[in-house]
Amino acid sequence: MLKRKKNDPTPSPAEPADESPSGQLEERAGGRKRKLSAEFQLTIILSVIFTIIVSLALSPLMNIDAVAITGNQAVSKQHVTQLANHPQGQNLFLYKKGEAIRSLESHPYIKEASIHRHLPHSLSIEVKERRAVGVLVNRGIFLQFSADGLLLNSTPTLENTTIPIITGISLKAVPQPGGKIKNEAFEQALAVVNAMPKDLLAGIQEINIAEKDNILAYTSNGIEVRIGSIKKIESRMSALNDIMKQVILSNAVQGKVEYIDMRYSKSPILKLKGQDGSAIPLDMEGAGMPISAEREAQRVEGTTEAVAEGDPETGQDENDQA
């Protein structure tokens, strides 16, 4: 058997390598250094990428050079640009979109606004406008208002309007444009306007609301419409729209119509000028039921009888009202 020399430092094959605590610590330290080095390199790479992205985002290459504006009619593109804080030339990412939207929606005519960024350097602005549905005459001033009752503008003169003029109302206080018009009579007029289909509203020239439950309207061809109160106003204005289309505009009756009485929810009444006793009850049986033009022509000629029928809302006899 070979014996190892006393001073020979070489370990024998059967003896294990040095597993002292100091050796293990050195190995672990080396592993941590390699791990930290990899993480540090990744951090550096990400930092460089982030710096490049930020530099590009803030560079003149990202300045807004094109602004597309859609949806505007009452408000000019120049005014929309001004309200949006003149975005052209500003940085696409630094542009204060929320602030611009609030500024746009502060305009009386702009109901809603949206702004979208488009890389690399363009912006789109879309607006949804309020439109004037009527003009309130108050102490010689014409106040245009929207369907939600906001004052849009006030002018001393009025030209070429196709929306109805509201008369018979006197406001104690007139709000600034964009403010809500607060008046009980105006609320009734607004209910009538909003209940009218677009085609019907286009043919109405004036709505007089001097008397609370005796609202009158006048068409562009001079026919008086007796509306009464705003009770069941939607169904009665729908019925009036049918009458205008199927009886008046189609010339289904012979003679000039003096007035249309819409105060009776079931059977509106039509009166011809210069013909006493020629009030015609129009058998609607509901706002949406078509009117027989042939039957109405027969009634005018006296070949059919008008049947009086009490109004379920008032209990009055319709012939008394005629």
Side-chain angles (χ1 to χ4, degrees):
M1 185 177 193
L2 295 175
K3 291 185 179 180
R4 182 165 56 111
K5 292 181 180 180
K6 185 175 182 180
N7 296 327
D8 188 357
T10 304
S12 64
E15 292 181 348
D18 186 8
E19 295 183 0
S20 64
S22 61
Q24 293 177 0
L25 289 174
E26 289 178 2
E27 184 178 353
R28 291 175 184 173
R32 276 200 299 272
K33 287 180 181 178
R34 287 192 295 271
K35 184 176 180 181
L36 289 175
S37 177
E39 290 179 350
F40 180 74
Q41 291 177 5
L42 180 60
T43 302
I44 293 297
I45 293 171
L46 292 176
S47 298
V48 171
I49 293 173
F50 178 76
T51 301
I52 293 172
I53 291 173
V54 171
S55 299
L56 285 173
L58 300 181
S59 72
L61 294 174
M62 291 296 177
N63 285 354
I64 300 169
D65 64 2
V67 180
I69 299 172
T70 57
N72 64 303
Q73 290 183 347
V75 186
S76 68
K77 289 188 176 182
Q78 291 79 6
H79 200 177
V80 171
T81 301
Q82 180 182 355
L83 290 168
N85 301 324
H86 301 285
Q88 194 156 356
Q90 296 189 44
N91 182 273
L92 184 67
F93 295 100
L94 296 181
Y95 176 67
K96 297 178 180 179
K97 188 173 75 170
E99 184 178 305
I101 289 174
R102 287 190 293 272
S103 176
L104 286 164
E105 292 180 349
S106 68
H107 192 282
Y109 275 96
I110 298 179
K111 185 176 183 179
E112 186 179 337
S114 59
I115 299 176
H116 301 281
R117 297 183 177 94
H118 303 284
L119 293 173
H121 40 61
S122 64
L123 197 75
S124 63
I125 301 174
E126 181 182 1
V127 297
K128 293 182 180 179
E129 292 184 334
R130 294 181 177 91
R131 65 181 183 89
V133 296
V135 181
L136 175 61
V137 181
N138 185 68
R139 300 176 185 177
I141 301 297
F142 299 95
L143 310 175
Q144 293 196 27
F145 59 89
S146 62
D148 49 0
L150 297 186
L151 176 63
L152 298 179
N153 63 51
S154 59
T155 56
T157 59
L158 187 67
E159 298 179 0
N160 301 324
T161 182
T162 58
I163 53 180
I165 297 174
I166 312 300
T167 59
I169 298 177
S170 180
L171 299 178
K172 292 182 179 179
V174 177
Q176 293 295 320
K180 192 88 170 178
I181 300 176
K182 297 179 180 180
N183 180 278
E184 183 181 355
F186 171 75
E187 293 293 334
Q188 293 187 335
L190 187 63
V192 173
V193 169
N194 287 337
M196 289 184 174
K198 289 183 179 180
D199 291 343
L200 175 61
L201 189 64
I204 299 296
Q205 191 172 53
E206 179 186 348
I207 297 174
N208 183 281
I209 197 152
E211 297 180 35
K212 180 179 179 181
D213 293 324
N214 188 30
I215 302 171
L216 301 173
Y218 300 90
T219 68
S220 55
N221 51 5
I223 300 174
E224 179 183 284
V225 181
R226 299 178 180 180
I227 296 175
S229 71
I230 60 171
K231 190 173 184 180
K232 296 185 179 180
I233 190 65
E234 290 83 6
S235 61
R236 289 191 288 123
M237 291 303 96
S238 178
L240 176 60
N241 190 45
D242 290 340
I243 292 170
M244 293 299 298
K245 287 182 176 180
Q246 301 179 34
V247 178
I248 307 300
L249 299 179
S250 65
N251 296 317
V253 294
Q254 297 176 359
K256 193 170 183 180
V257 178
E258 181 178 347
Y259 67 79
I260 303 171
D261 196 335
M262 298 301 301
R263 291 175 292 178
Y264 305 100
S265 61
K266 190 174 181 179
S267 296
I269 294 174
L270 187 148
K271 174 70 168 62
L272 300 180
K273 281 186 177 181
Q275 297 187 27
D276 296 334
S278 59
I280 306 170
L282 303 177
D283 187 11
M284 300 297 293
E285 295 183 5
M289 181 177 178
I291 302 169
S292 170
E294 180 181 357
R295 185 178 181 188
E296 298 314 323
Q298 290 174 348
R299 281 179 173 171
V300 173
E301 294 170 0
T303 56
T304 60
E305 295 181 359
V307 180
E309 189 170 0
D311 185 2
E313 290 182 21
T314 63
Q316 293 180 326
D317 189 288
E318 292 184 354
N319 280 342
D320 292 340
Q321 189 59 45

